[in-house]
Amino acid sequence: MRIHHLNCTTMCPPGRRLMDGRKGVSGPAALVCHCLLVETDRKLVLVDTGFGLNDVLEPRPRLSPLFLDVLCRPKLQEEMTAIRQLQRLGFKPEDVTDILLTHLDFDHAGGLDDFPWARVHLMDAEYQAAVAQKTALDRRRFRPRQWMHEANWVTYPTPRGGERWFGFESVRELSGLPPELLLVPLQGHTEGHAGIALQVDNRWLLHAGDAYFFHGEMDAQRRCPPGLRFYQTLMQKNARLRHRNQERLRELVRQHGANVTVFCAHDAEEFERLEEAEKVPADSPFRLVPAESVPTLHV
């Protein structure tokens, strides 16, 4: 398999260093939406979609004003959507046969309706919670307008026991996809949150989604900017499971860091490091916009 790292929209919340840990005490931060385009022998697979074309064209009412105007302030641009990026790489959108979701939050699922023919794989608990819309926060984070095409969805229960992967239990192979792609339950941020593990050249990558938000959280002396700590607490559905899974991820890095590369969905430093390893051209329009040059969005 070959992996392409895509930033499918930069979010620019206020707070700068309080949110992304970068230098500067005023102005917006820069949080990426780190998605993957995976080339298998016969298929193209997306891991998360970031924001999609319709989010760019009609952000209201697809996105909640709370996240659009206040908390996240995404810098919505058509060229940053997954569908435009893969076209730029020379692929046809219809070659994407499957989409693997870490979870259904608006900044991970916005591009689903750009690929209505693709099978969508996710945890059943995630789908049930998103459909139920039980709380005010659920109604703001899960946006059904982004995923109106549900005929091709494949959901997976969380079995007791199940397969193990580097100490993680209940890991699932994915229907119709190579065994080098795995769904790793990492609940806490949402009820059915999961990571996606990919084996490439005898090494593993683990896209941990929103199981954590900042690279320093994987250090032995874990650290996280206070703004991101608050945001994670605001968005969590189960604090005990979220903290437990973060500790398990730290243990994975400590014990198996030579064989497994762990990264999350929104950390700019992790994205830049992995994108550079992929040798994306320096003049690529899809390289992360430096935090210093990201304007605050006024809607």
Side-chain angles (χ1 to χ4, degrees):
M1 294 192 300
R2 182 180 179 188
I3 310 297
H4 302 272
H5 296 271
L6 312 178
N7 173 22
C8 295
T9 294
T10 299
M11 296 185 291
C12 308
R16 205 168 199 168
R17 192 172 185 176
L18 297 177
M19 290 296 292
D20 63 15
R22 296 189 172 198
K23 293 181 179 180
V25 295
S26 63
L31 304 180
V32 300
C33 291
H34 192 161
C35 304
L36 304 177
L37 176 65
V38 183
E39 299 181 53
T40 71
D41 287 343
R42 297 181 300 274
K43 301 178 179 182
L44 289 180
V45 178
L46 278 172
V47 176
D48 283 351
T49 69
F51 294 88
L53 286 177
N54 285 327
D55 295 323
V56 176
L57 296 174
E58 48 174 0
R60 305 171 190 276
R62 282 173 63 90
L63 303 173
S64 164
L66 174 66
F67 294 103
L68 181 64
D69 301 337
V70 181
L71 294 179
C72 296
R73 301 183 183 181
K75 186 177 173 62
L76 297 170
Q77 297 175 327
E78 181 175 338
E79 64 267 24
M80 300 297 288
T81 60
I83 192 169
R84 293 292 182 252
Q85 292 198 52
L86 70 90
Q87 287 173 322
R88 180 64 173 261
L89 288 168
F91 298 111
K92 297 178 181 177
E94 55 266 30
D95 291 336
V96 175
T97 61
D98 296 82
I99 299 173
L100 316 183
L101 287 181
T102 60
H103 60 302
L104 268 169
D105 274 354
F106 63 95
D107 52 331
H108 295 256
L112 287 177
D113 53 5
D114 293 335
F115 307 92
W117 58 84
R119 294 193 308 162
V120 177
H121 304 256
L122 73 163
M123 298 296 291
D124 184 67
E126 185 70 8
Y127 175 74
Q128 297 299 334
V131 170
Q133 304 262 298
K134 287 183 178 179
T135 69
L137 178 59
D138 288 346
R139 290 187 289 275
R140 287 166 173 80
R141 75 190 305 171
F142 301 128
R143 308 299 286 181
R145 288 175 180 269
Q146 294 180 320
W147 32 275
M148 298 174 66
H149 306 281
E150 299 179 42
N152 299 326
W153 286 31
V154 184
T155 62
Y156 300 84
T158 305
R160 293 186 178 182
E163 298 297 324
R164 294 180 67 84
W165 178 83
F166 291 101
F168 289 82
E169 63 275 359
S170 304
V171 174
R172 302 295 304 263
E173 291 190 0
L174 294 154
S175 174
L177 290 173
E180 294 83 6
L181 293 165
L182 300 172
L183 192 65
V184 182
L186 292 173
Q187 301 98 320
H189 178 70
T190 61
E191 300 287 357
H193 186 279
I196 309 296
L198 311 92
Q199 188 176 29
V200 183
D201 298 331
N202 298 316
R203 281 185 52 82
W204 286 92
L205 299 176
L206 177 61
H207 190 312
D210 287 0
Y212 70 97
F213 274 65
F214 185 70
H215 60 272
E217 294 180 90
M218 292 298 100
D219 295 342
Q221 301 297 322
R222 58 185 181 273
R223 56 192 174 84
C224 182
L228 278 186
R229 284 203 305 270
F230 169 77
Y231 187 78
Q232 290 186 78
T233 301
L234 172 70
M235 298 297 290
Q236 69 188 7
K237 297 298 287 187
N238 188 313
R240 180 185 62 84
L241 282 179
R242 183 173 71 84
H243 291 298
R244 176 172 176 264
N245 281 320
Q246 283 191 357
E247 182 53 44
R248 296 168 78 202
L249 289 170
R250 281 189 286 273
E251 188 66 19
L252 175 64
V253 171
R254 283 194 294 269
Q255 292 192 4
H256 303 288
N259 299 312
V260 184
T261 298
V262 178
F263 58 95
C264 67
H266 299 303
D267 186 273
E269 183 172 318
E270 290 180 339
F271 174 78
E272 290 170 337
R273 181 167 62 246
L274 289 163
E275 185 198 34
E276 182 64 26
E278 187 198 331
K279 296 182 173 58
V280 173
D283 61 350
S284 169
F286 310 118
R287 183 170 295 280
L288 173 69
V289 179
E292 290 76 14
S293 62
V294 176
T296 302
L297 295 185
H298 299 281
V299 181

